Amino acid sequence: MQMNKVMKSFIIALPVVTMMACSSGPSEEELAAERNRVAQEQAEAERQAREAEQARVQAEAATRMQRQQEMVEEQKAALKKEQTVYFDFDRATIKAEFQALLDKHAEFLVNNPDQNVVIEGHTDQRGTPEYNIALGERRAQAVETYLMNAGVSGSQISTVSYGEEKPAVMGSTEYAMAQNRRGIVVYQ
């Protein structure tokens, strides 16, 4: 009986072992196809990794450029708060007290060659309109010359004279007239 059971097990196991022994591994063509598939998957993964790295680098560059542009705008906003140079009566000479202010504008313009300014020359109401236009022009040119001597390109600067036409303060007091004798650095 024991022998009978062993024989039955052997008879059942023999076809299974035979089938396993007869079945062969993958063919050479199947192995080559699998290697090609794996190589293609690796190449695709590398391509995607390169594209992701390029996208990251471009995003970082865009962020840096945006930050730089924001810093330029902040600097320009600060300079716009201090853009007026005042002159003595009938003079077009830059006073020593305004040189530091003009140095700040010059430094900004040198560091940002894409920025342009218009220098406006103004006078008080004393004198003829023709004389005041000429005096306003000399004041604007004095500021322009100072900036150019500090390294600003002449292509970044233009001048205009308004003479007495655009007073900052109305009136004929000494204070009002002093406020109107000015040159203004206006960013475009």
Side-chain angles (χ1 to χ4, degrees), residues 13-25:
L14 185 63
V16 171
V17 170
T18 304
M19 286 180 65
M20 286 176 57
C22 289
S23 73
S24 60

Side-chain angles (χ1 to χ4, degrees), residues 158-186:
S158 60
T159 61
V160 63
S161 175
Y162 290 109
E164 63 189 71
E165 297 301 316
K166 293 187 173 184
V169 178
M170 299 300 290
S172 57
T173 65
E174 183 52 40
Y175 171 79
M177 288 189 279
Q179 294 298 302
N180 292 331
R181 297 188 302 260
R182 67 201 189 279
I184 304 174
V185 180
V186 179

Side-chain angles (χ1 to χ4, degrees), residues 2 5 25 27-28 31 37 58 84 111 120 140 169 182:
Q2 211 37 296
K5 277 187 174 179
S27 70
E28 194 58 39
L31 289 173
R37 183 188 65 76
Q58 288 174 350
T84 305
N111 291 333
E120 297 178 351
V169 178
R182 67 201 189 279

